[in-house]
Structure formats: C-alpha cells, structure tokens
Amino acid sequence: MLQTLRQHLRHGYGRHIWSRSLTTAAAASITQRSSTLAEVPQSSRLSWMLLPTKKSTKRGDTCSVATTTDMLTKAGYIHQSSAGIYTLMPLAQRAMDKIERIIDDEMQSVGGQKLAMPTLLTPDNWIKTGRWQTTGDELFTLHDRKQSAMLLGPTHEEEVTAIVKTMVRSFREYPLRLYQTTRKFRDEARPRAGLLRGREFVMKDMYSFDVTRDQAIETFGALERAYRRCFDRIGVPYAVADADSGNIGGSLSKEFHFVHGSGEDTVLACQSCGYAANEERARGSCSAHGAAYLATVVDAASGSRVAQRLVVVPAGHEPSALKIRQAWPLEPGHRLELAPANVQETQRAAADMLEPLVDACALGLPESPSVSASVAGDWHVAQAGDSCTRCASGVLTAQRAIEVGHIFYLGDKYSRSMDLTVLHQGARHYVQRGCFGIGISRVLQAAAECCSSSDAGLRWPLAIAPFLAAIVPLAGTSHVPQVYKKLAQVVVGGKCVFENNVAVDDREYLSPGFRLHDAQLLGFPLTLVLGRAFAAASEVEVQLRLPPTLSLPRAAAGIELTCIDDEYRAHVHLDRLAEFLGCLLADACPQTLH
C-alpha cells in the first residue's frame, strides 16, 4: 500500500501536488481499488506508470503544438536529453517493442538469425575498407586510456564481415542472414525533428552473405518482400523507390518511405508503370533544348584543376552530380564541381575532349558544342512532369516522403577489402554481400507524423499503438473487471487482439477531464468511457481515434457510429461490446492486427 501511495504522490508531476496528507479513509479506498483491479496487470494501470503528460494551462492553447516532436514530448513519449539525443519513455518503448516484434517475425521468416554486436568498435576494419577516411565528421570517435582510437558504431558492415571471416570455413555454411536491433551513433551536423534525425537512434540492420551473385540478388529480392510485409503490418502508406547507395556502397539499393507532406525526401513516381525513385536517382526524359554545364574535377589539397568535361541537361534542370560520378569515378582526394558553361567555355571544353575518361556519348555530351544541342543522355536531376524512361508513356509525379528503411546489394565491396573469400567449385571467390536497415525509432515518430491529423492529440497505427484501448472509469473502478473481461473475448483473424493491450486509467486522484484529455493526447485508438450511462444502463461510450487512412463503416454489428471532430463514437451495451469491437476491427483493419 505504501508503494501505491508513493505512486499517487509522484504522479502529481505536471498536475496538482497534494498539499494534505491522505486520510485513513482515502488509504482504505486505495487498498480497495487495488483489490478490485487484481485481474488487471500492474503494467497496464496508468497509476503505476511514469506518465509525465503536460496539459495546456491557457484556454485555447491546445493548438500551440507545432510539430510531432512537440506533441510526443507533451504526451510524455520522449524526453530530450541533449541535441539529437532522447530518452524513450515507457509508452514509447511499448510502441517500439511492437515494431520490433513485427520486424523479428519477418526477418526470421526469411532465415534471419539475431545477434548483438558491440557498439564500441576499433577503427582497424574501417581503415581496411576506407570508410575511416571517407565517413569524416559523422563518426563519433574517442580514445581509451592507452590513447587507442575507438568509435561508436554508426553501422556494422565491417564488424560482421570480420565475424564471418573468422568463423565460417566452408561454402556449405552459406547463405547467412545475420541481424541485430541496436543503438547507432552519427554526429549529425544539424540534429532536428526529434527522432527523425538524431545523433543516437535505434536501428535494425541485417547483413547477408551468399556464395554467388545470383544467390545474393535472390536474397535482395526476398528481403525486399519481407520489408514490404513489415510495412504492410505497421499500417502506414509507404513507397518503395530506387536509391543511391551512398557511403554504404554497392550497385543496387532501394529506399522505403512513409508518404507524407512533411518529409525531407522527394520521391518521383510513374503512375502508369509503377516506377519510383528518389529525386537524386530518378531518370526522366525531356524534349526541351539543352543547357551546358562544365564538370570539373579538382584536387582538394591544391585546388588545381585535374580534368574537365562538358555535360548537357534539359533546360530548366540541374545537373546530377550523383549520375556524373557514377560514370566518371573520382580518385581519392578529388572533388567534383559543376558550373554553367558559356559559349567560349563550351567550345574549349569540347576541343579538349579528344580522349575523355569515359565515352562522350555515355556521358550525354552533344555532338556539337552548341548550347542548344539536343540532349543525348540522362545527367540531370529529374523533375515532376518529365516523361518516364521505363514505360515512355507515363509522366513522373512528385511526392514528399520520410525515409524509414533502406536495402542494399553490396556485391564484394566489403569482402574484397577485408579478404573474405569462399572456396566454391574449385576456385576462390569473394563472398557476395547485402545489408538491410530499418530505422525503428525513426519509424515510431514517422508513424505518428503520418497518422496524427491535428494538434489535439496523437494517433497511432493500430499495430504499434502502445495500448490498443484504454478504459477510463469516471465513477469508480468497480466495473472495470467486467469490461476488461469482455475485451479479452474480442478475436480478429484468430487472434485475441486486446491481450496485454488494454490500459486502465485508475488515477482517481485526477479529475475526469484530465483523464479524458490524456486519452486523447496519448492517442489510444479506442477509449472506453464508463460514466453515468454505464452506472445506469451498463452502456459503454466507445471513442475511436484512428489514423485518417482507415475508413470506418457507418455501423458495426448493427450499432451506428457518429463522427464528431474527426473522432467516431458509439454507445454500446456491455453485453454487445465484444461483438461490436470484433466486427469493427475486422472491417477496418484486419491486416495490421494479424
């Protein structure tokens, strides 16, 4: 009982802090309530949780929340420790656990084996692959007491390659698909947007090892399908786009994005054939006359010009440094500069291109130095309105998106630099590699960003909401066990969807208004209010706050739903509650709850 009293006093944070001692009668009431809720796990009672929600103190201040980061902070899901570094509070951790369970299911369905690699790494293997030099300021580095350099792992390609090289001896032990869920560290220059761009974050990364290239490409396809199943189950609309491999390396990669207007990325897609790529990788054609640019390779140390080429892009388009570098690889210590070319520069550059490093036609160079020459290649940043190069009949459209996953076929990039080989069919070959990442903490905030439609409170996809439902008793907790048992009878797709998935707001020391406000702020998809109507006629008020992507029927089990300010409500007799909720959830979102 003493512990319960302490919990009550502690939860005065952000509310009222009691200034008077509890009377014997009040203490007895608490003891009786604990006995009444004996069937409800303590982990499901809000009185036992660290729940530092903050209620606006000024009338009309509910619209003061400007970002999802503010809303997650106000709702007590996250707490900022410093720039780009956050504590995940208990409710956020519950949602993260659900995301991880979905990912674990799908990774293990394709043969994934879970392990845990160290966060503190030595730079030895990073030096072998060259990433110690090329990653630069993004690495968190430190020195131990012997002044040996160390780093906090931003990713683990080198570490897992070293493990396999040490432990695997025969081609018969392949393929291998090893994955982990761990904290990663990157020294972001401008950490922002809460969990979307932080310096410490939670990520799932899988690393695949195959004997042949064909097997590695097959693994890539299997993991792409597994990722699609993950995001189907999470329940947020997403897009899959061709992407650049960046510092990770490799020749094939795809990004997974949640489609939302607040995203930092732009995905260009063709509605005719389904082609999609991020803005920097997308290929589109345009019949407009060309504009000439000089692509200059400069020595970073001296600033002197090493080589120069002419690139022509459609008028109104920017040249793509990414596409040019792919065809014209740079030596270490060199950088690429792009600048518009005037007529004299165009003529001089064309005259110098007698022995280009790459074929002039392959780089998209014009046959004549005229600035208005027709475009011979695709070296521009594609835009909405360009023609699709895959189907030739479609037009590219743009949509903003938040990147939440990225998969790569690496080939032998890491195997070659770390000498990971396998003896197969009488010859030694470099092992073929792939890596596959999902930003789990990023998924958490991105899901809230995509599903929350107003500043009044959060909304969650049903599959990852910390609790699928909350029971809010406004006139004592004596009837809570009846409702709790009814929820245990709700089955959707053969699964008891409310098992360990119901919160009970037994904080009777808070006013009904505070508790109903919390239910809205925290974003519980279903709130079951036990008020006067329940005391009089066993009628439960069901409040539904579902993502805007879900369409609800007008009625379920013959019981009508009414819509009030983007929230649906229904009044259901206790005897019909399980039937009503089962029909409702089966109609609205069967896939995400399976």
Side-chain angles (χ1 to χ4, degrees), residues 99 231 234 258 404 438-448 464:
I99 298 171
F231 292 114
I234 288 171
F258 285 167
V404 289
I438 294 179
I440 297 180
S441 52
R442 192 176 177 90
V443 167
L444 178 73
Q445 178 155 341
I464 68 171

Side-chain angles (χ1 to χ4, degrees), residues 495-506:
K495 178 181 177 182
C496 297
V497 294
F498 288 103
E499 184 178 357
N500 193 32
N501 215 0
V502 180
V504 175
D505 194 344
D506 58 337

Side-chain angles (χ1 to χ4, degrees), residues 361-384:
C361 293
L363 251 185
L365 304 177
E367 296 179 358
S368 69
S370 171
V371 174
S372 63
S374 60
V375 178
D378 179 5
W379 307 107
H380 60 280
V381 178
Q383 298 177 359

Side-chain angles (χ1 to χ4, degrees), residues 102-252:
I102 290 172
I103 293 172
D104 282 342
D105 283 349
E106 298 302 338
M107 293 304 99
Q108 291 169 23
S109 74
V110 292
Q113 302 176 69
K114 195 170 188 177
L115 74 169
M117 288 179 277
T119 294
L120 191 61
L121 305 173
T122 65
D124 300 351
N125 293 322
W126 283 68
I127 293 172
K128 291 179 182 177
T129 63
R131 290 208 298 171
W132 180 253
Q133 297 83 7
T134 59
T135 305
D137 293 338
E138 284 191 6
L139 288 179
F140 273 109
T141 59
L142 64 154
H143 290 82
D144 64 13
R145 65 179 65 195
K146 298 178 181 179
Q147 295 306 303
S148 298
M150 308 288 288
L151 71 146
L152 296 178
T155 183
H156 283 76
E157 282 80 9
E158 287 84 356
E159 185 69 18
V160 74
T161 304
I163 291 170
V164 173
K165 181 179 178 181
T166 301
M167 295 186 171
V168 180
R169 292 287 178 263
S170 170
F171 74 90
R172 295 181 179 86
E173 298 177 69
Y174 294 101
L176 284 173
R177 297 171 183 177
L178 307 174
Y179 80 100
Q180 65 175 354
T181 298
T182 188
R183 288 184 175 270
K184 306 279 191 175
F185 299 86
R186 292 178 191 168
D187 193 0
E188 289 281 356
R190 293 195 312 114
R192 59 193 181 276
L195 304 178
L196 294 182
R197 189 169 292 280
R199 298 195 294 168
E200 179 181 6
F201 51 94
V202 180
M203 187 172 181
K204 187 285 304 180
D205 47 338
M206 173 179 275
Y207 303 99
S208 66
F209 300 80
D210 288 279
V211 174
T212 68
R213 183 183 187 278
D214 288 345
Q215 292 169 347
I217 295 297
E218 185 179 336
T219 293
F220 184 91
L223 265 296
E224 180 183 345
R225 293 188 292 273
Y227 268 45
R228 288 178 182 270
R229 292 194 298 270
C230 285
F231 292 114
D232 285 341
R233 290 175 62 180
I234 288 171
V236 178
Y238 67 94
V240 185
D242 292 344
D244 176 42
S245 297
N247 190 44
I248 298 292
S251 59
L252 173 64

